[in-house]
Amino acid sequence: MISHRLVAEKMARVQDTVDGYVADENVQAVYLSGSLMANLGTPYSDIDIFVVSSDRSGMIHHGLGQDRVDVEFRSAEWLEQVAHLARPYAATLDDNYPLTTSPDLIEDAVRLKIGTELKKSPELSRTRNALDTGQRDLQKLVLSQVALDLAAYWMDILGFLTNGDLDSAEMLSSEILLTALDAACIPDGDLYRGPKWIWSRVRRNESLAPAHQWIRDLLMPYQAARSHGTRLCTDRMLTAQKLVSLALLREWNPDRFLPAPATAPRGGGDLVRSPYWLVTRVAESAVLSYQDTRQYTLPDLALACWYAADGCSGNEIEEIVSLTYPDSSRRVQETIEALRSIGAITNTSDWKKLCLPDEQD
């Protein structure tokens, strides 16, 4: 975890550069953000300054090495666009706007939210207030976009596996797991994205603490003994399905008890999530998708059942789900059968056929 002392030391070395922008009469506002302000970064991280100005655009670099300053220019109109991202989350199947919302704009919103104002303006303050007031809606937008990113990767890995390109599948499965971990951090308000920071965010996330060790073993398999015989991509895909489900359940049900799993999904029992399915989210419900061709809206109880199907019996799923939904035990078995009827829950044969072709007769 980066210290505030490092930020202060680095800022002191570039203060003259920063002061030049603050004093410029054509500059409306200035704020400091970036990985250091997200309590991430290293001594080699840049100082990131954002300048709101009507007559400049693009980016300028000042300094070298550990004293580098990246200055990015934004317009006053940009502030309005950023504030709009924190509006009440209202995505639908017909208007799933997280899919078309600019990832760069979302990144700007996150960086503004965590930033520190160096030169204030009423417009900047209003936008920051909008992001604070609408934080839960911003989190839902970010999480939904990450889930959609994961769905795109999912189609790619299914293609590799169908073609028997196991090497490419193994490599992509790492990206899939990291994307799901990105999603898992969001319900706790940790929105600062970037592949290089994902494990740092997971490691400091107390909600995910029970899962830290087994997830670390999946990311660095040579650090752990892998004696259970499954392919790494299988384990990572099962885990990604579980983590994105966990994130969606926690974000939309923040008051329900839903701890991170202390053990990895084993995928070797009676009931398991099918590899051909993945979950995303619109405003009113979760959406379970089959290879991007069929979509089913489902209540959170059904998502919880799908989440719990790690390769276990129906009674075990009921026991897990009852911890979060204690008044719904009688409906769990019906829900499991409904998920089985559409193929979202299956047995291990789907995974063996797709991911272990060399072990088939």
Side-chain angles (χ1 to χ4, degrees):
M1 179 96 40
I2 205 72
S3 70
H4 292 292
R5 177 181 296 179
L6 177 58
V7 178
E9 290 175 351
K10 291 175 77 70
M11 279 294 293
R13 296 199 296 269
V14 301
Q15 196 65 55
D16 289 345
T17 298
V18 175
D19 287 345
Y21 289 103
V22 172
D24 190 335
E25 295 181 356
N26 294 318
V27 168
Q28 177 179 325
V30 180
Y31 66 94
L32 167 69
S33 190
S35 59
L36 292 169
M37 295 304 297
N39 289 322
L40 298 166
T42 73
Y44 285 84
S45 295
D46 302 329
I47 289 288
D48 294 311
I49 302 295
F50 295 83
V51 173
V52 180
S53 175
S54 59
D55 61 350
R56 303 183 73 172
S57 61
M59 176 186 288
I60 294 178
H61 306 295
H62 298 274
L64 297 171
Q66 296 183 49
D67 294 337
R68 175 165 159 153
V69 182
D70 288 344
V71 179
E72 297 190 40
F73 297 95
R74 299 290 187 268
S75 66
E77 293 76 19
W78 164 86
L79 288 174
E80 297 179 8
Q81 297 173 18
V82 168
H84 192 56
L85 296 181
R87 67 192 185 277
Y89 184 77
T92 66
L93 286 175
D94 294 327
D95 181 19
N96 199 356
Y97 60 83
L99 185 63
T100 57
T101 300
S102 166
D104 291 338
L105 189 63
I106 291 180
E107 181 181 354
D108 278 347
V110 172
R111 292 193 293 184
L112 176 55
K113 189 178 186 310
I114 67 172
T116 295
E117 296 177 56
L118 303 177
K119 182 177 182 178
K120 297 183 179 182
S121 75
E123 294 80 8
L124 182 65
S125 296
R126 280 197 296 269
T127 300
R128 284 171 59 85
N129 288 338
L131 294 175
D132 287 339
T133 302
Q135 176 172 335
R136 297 302 307 200
D137 290 296
L138 178 63
Q139 288 181 197
K140 290 175 179 178
L141 173 62
V142 178
L143 177 52
S144 296
Q145 192 173 80
V146 176
L148 289 166
D149 289 345
L150 184 60
Y153 284 134
W154 209 261
M155 293 297 289
D156 291 334
I157 199 167
L158 290 178
F160 285 137
L161 290 169
T162 300
N163 282 346
D165 187 350
L166 299 179
D167 289 343
S168 293
E170 294 280 87
M171 294 174 190
L172 183 59
S173 69
S174 178
E175 191 74 24
I176 281 173
L177 179 54
L178 289 170
T179 303
L181 286 168
D182 185 351
C185 293
I186 292 170
D188 293 298
D190 193 343
L191 309 180
Y192 194 83
R193 298 190 66 190
K196 62 185 175 182
W197 305 123
I198 290 175
W199 183 247
S200 297
R201 292 165 59 206
V202 172
R203 188 172 51 205
R204 72 186 183 184
N205 188 299
E206 295 182 2
S207 298
L208 295 174
H212 283 175
Q213 186 58 55
W214 67 262
I215 291 173
R216 182 178 181 274
D217 291 344
L218 286 179
L219 289 170
M220 297 189 294
Y222 295 109
Q223 301 296 322
R226 296 184 52 78
S227 59
H228 51 288
T230 60
R231 290 195 181 277
L232 185 57
C233 68
T234 301
D235 295 341
R236 286 172 171 170
M237 291 172 73
L238 277 166
T239 299
Q241 288 174 323
K242 191 169 189 70
L243 288 173
V244 73
S245 301
L246 175 68
L248 293 171
L249 286 166
R250 289 189 62 220
E251 184 60 55
W252 266 265
N253 299 271
D255 297 326
R256 285 194 179 271
F257 175 74
L258 192 65
T263 57
R266 61 184 185 272
D270 298 331
L271 301 174
V272 65
R273 295 178 294 277
S274 168
Y276 300 102
W277 294 75
L278 197 64
V279 68
T280 55
R281 179 81 206 202
V282 293
E284 299 301 324
S285 69
V287 179
L288 205 56
S289 298
Y290 171 77
Q291 298 190 67
D292 203 30
T293 61
R294 283 187 280 144
Q295 294 182 321
Y296 297 83
T297 58
L298 68 164
D300 288 338
L301 177 65
L303 178 55
C305 291
W306 195 71
Y307 160 87
D310 286 334
C312 51
S313 68
N315 288 336
E316 287 175 307
I317 292 176
E318 182 176 340
E319 182 178 346
I320 294 168
V321 173
S322 66
L323 296 174
T324 305
Y325 296 91
D327 300 326
S328 302
S329 59
R330 288 184 299 177
R331 290 188 286 144
V332 169
Q333 295 301 329
E334 296 176 1
T335 303
I336 292 172
E337 288 308 310
L339 290 169
R340 293 186 71 180
S341 70
I342 64 173
I345 287 180
T346 183
N347 55 40
T348 57
S349 61
D350 276 0
W351 285 99
K352 289 179 179 179
K353 181 179 179 181
L354 182 65
C355 298
L356 304 171
D358 56 335
E359 296 185 10
Q360 299 302 299
D361 295 330

